[in-house]
Amino acid sequence: MKFGIQGTVIGWQDPWAGEASDRVMRTGTGSIYPSQDPTPEPGAFIRALQDLGAVFYVHHVLPNLAGQSDMIRDAAAHGLDICLGNEYGNINGPYAEGTNRYDVPDLTVLEAALSGRLIGLLYDEPEHLQIN
C-alpha cells in the first residue's frame, strides 16, 4: 500500500502557481475564496509531505497550467510520485464538449510521464459531474 496526500483546494495557494491559483475557484460554490494559510515554498511543501510518510502527491492541475512544469521537475528531483487531478478544471473549465469534465491536456500527461514519477490521473467525481 502507498500513502499519498492530495493538495488542498482552499487551505492555501498552489505552491508552484502562487498568485495564479488565486484567480481560480477552488470550490464548487461559484466563488473565489482567499487562502486560509500562507502558501508553502515548493521544496518545503514536498519535504513536509515526505515527513508525513507520503510517497505520492495528488496535484490539482490549474486550467492555465501555471507552475505545472515546475511541480513535475521538483517532484522528480525529490523522488515524489505524482497523480494529476482534474478538480480545478472541473470547477473552472474548460470542459470537454457536452460535459462538466476537464481533461488534463495530453502534453501535460506526457510531460509528467516522461519524468518517470507519474502514477496516474484522478478524475474527480465523474458521476456527479455528468449528472449535473
Side-chain angles (χ1 to χ4, degrees):
M1 180 167 65
K2 292 183 176 184
F3 174 67
I5 296 179
Q6 174 175 279
T8 178
V9 294
I10 196 165
W12 57 72
Q13 295 167 310
D14 181 287
W16 293 272
E19 291 180 19
S21 65
D22 265 348
R23 293 187 294 273
V24 297
M25 291 180 289
R26 291 180 288 200
T27 68
T29 64
S31 300
I32 294 177
Y33 287 93
S35 300
Q36 296 173 342
D37 294 304
T39 303
E41 180 273 323
F45 177 70
I46 290 175
R47 286 187 297 278
L49 295 179
Q50 292 175 322
D51 287 348
L52 290 170
V55 296
F56 71 92
Y57 166 56
V58 179
H59 178 74
H60 298 299
V61 177
L62 290 170
N64 64 9
L65 303 177
Q68 185 65 32
S69 293
D70 293 333
M71 183 279 301
I72 292 168
R73 182 199 65 232
D74 290 348
H78 287 86
L80 184 69
D81 288 339
I82 52 175
C83 175
L84 301 178
N86 71 337
E87 185 170 4
Y88 285 154
N90 290 345
I91 295 168
N92 295 275
Y95 311 114
E97 187 174 342
T99 75
N100 188 37
R101 183 193 76 244
Y102 170 68
D103 291 324
V104 176
D106 292 345
L107 290 177
T108 302
V109 175
L110 180 61
E111 179 184 18
L114 290 172
S115 76
R117 304 312 305 197
L118 181 67
I119 61 169
L121 301 174
L122 171 67
Y123 274 70
D124 186 71
E125 303 182 48
E127 71 289 342
H128 169 73
L129 296 170
Q130 296 306 305
I131 290 169
N132 294 299

